[in-house]
Amino acid sequence: MAEDLHILQNSSKEERYKSLIPQIKALLKGETDSVANMANMVAALKQAFNFFWVGFYIVRKNELVLAPFQGPVACTRIAYGRGVCGTAWQQGRTLIVPDVEAFPGHIACSSLSKSEIVVPVFTNNEVIAILDVDSNKLNDFDKVDEIYLTEIIKLLILS
Ligand code: SME
């Protein structure tokens, strides 16, 4: 397992994602426990991007339950179809929300969170978890985040 992450300073978001992917691969190598791997994955993302909140919610029956995360304390359970997370689960697609106040039914775990991206994790075409990333700035996520976060969570399923 790699011990330290090498985070590129003064580089574009895309370059940072690109350099992070092989390092996350190395972190997860040989470990099959998905909670351990989720924990290191969100720690690596937090360290690389200093996201306000980054973490997983795992599907348990008809709701999402809080799983490894980095950031302020958060809501523990989210119903199917509720909030950004429950909607991304229901729709089975990534949601980028530039202004959380403008998203009907957004669940405010923290009033400091301003924009958000939620990426579903699939196994056998079924959503088994979601990755949620929150920013304290408006409009902080775009297609680049969607592409690389999607690639990163695939490492989880393959590991
Ligand atoms: N804002 C999310 C809830 C999770 S927290 O942001 C960590 C939502 O609306 O689903």
Side-chain angles (χ1 to χ4, degrees):
M1 193 190 97
E3 284 177 12
D4 288 311
L5 287 182
H6 295 281
I7 310 298
L8 294 177
Q9 304 297 335
N10 305 318
S11 52
S12 71
K13 180 161 76 171
E14 185 157 23
E15 283 169 337
R16 262 179 293 159
Y17 274 121
K18 276 187 180 158
S19 79
L20 192 62
I21 287 175
Q23 299 187 70
I24 294 184
K25 243 183 222 173
L27 267 176
L28 270 50
K29 198 167 182 225
E31 179 53 69
T32 55
D33 188 279
S34 57
V35 170
N37 285 335
M38 284 178 179
N40 260 339
M41 193 175 271
V42 295
L45 286 166
K46 174 79 175 175
Q47 209 177 315
F49 295 100
N50 198 24
F51 290 132
F52 176 70
W53 196 94
V54 50
F56 287 95
Y57 281 86
I58 297 178
V59 171
R60 300 245 186 263
K61 295 189 183 145
N62 59 343
E63 52 189 4
L64 294 167
V65 180
L66 187 62
F69 72 96
Q70 296 268 320
V73 293
C75 338
T76 53
R77 287 172 190 267
I78 298 173
Y80 183 72
R82 294 287 313 281
V84 185
C85 295
T87 305
W89 173 22
Q90 184 177 45
Q91 297 184 357
R93 67 183 180 99
T94 295
L95 294 180
I96 295 174
V97 180
D99 177 0
V100 294
E101 300 285 336
F103 187 96
H106 165 255
I107 301 164
C109 290
S110 164
S111 59
L112 297 175
S113 174
K114 303 280 183 235
S115 60
E116 181 164 2
I117 181 170
V118 178
V119 189
V121 181
F122 289 92
T123 294
N124 301 326
N125 290 326
E126 223 177 277
V127 178
I128 54 143
I130 60 92
L131 175 70
D132 180 17
V133 189
D134 291 19
S135 171
N136 55 8
K137 292 182 220 100
L138 284 168
N139 201 15
D140 213 15
F141 302 106
D142 56 26
K143 204 73 195 164
V144 170
D145 299 284
E146 175 174 0
I147 289 167
Y148 288 101
L149 292 173
T150 302
E151 208 169 305
I152 287 170
I153 57 175
K154 281 189 188 144
L155 300 175
L156 197 62
I157 302 155
L158 300 175
S159 64

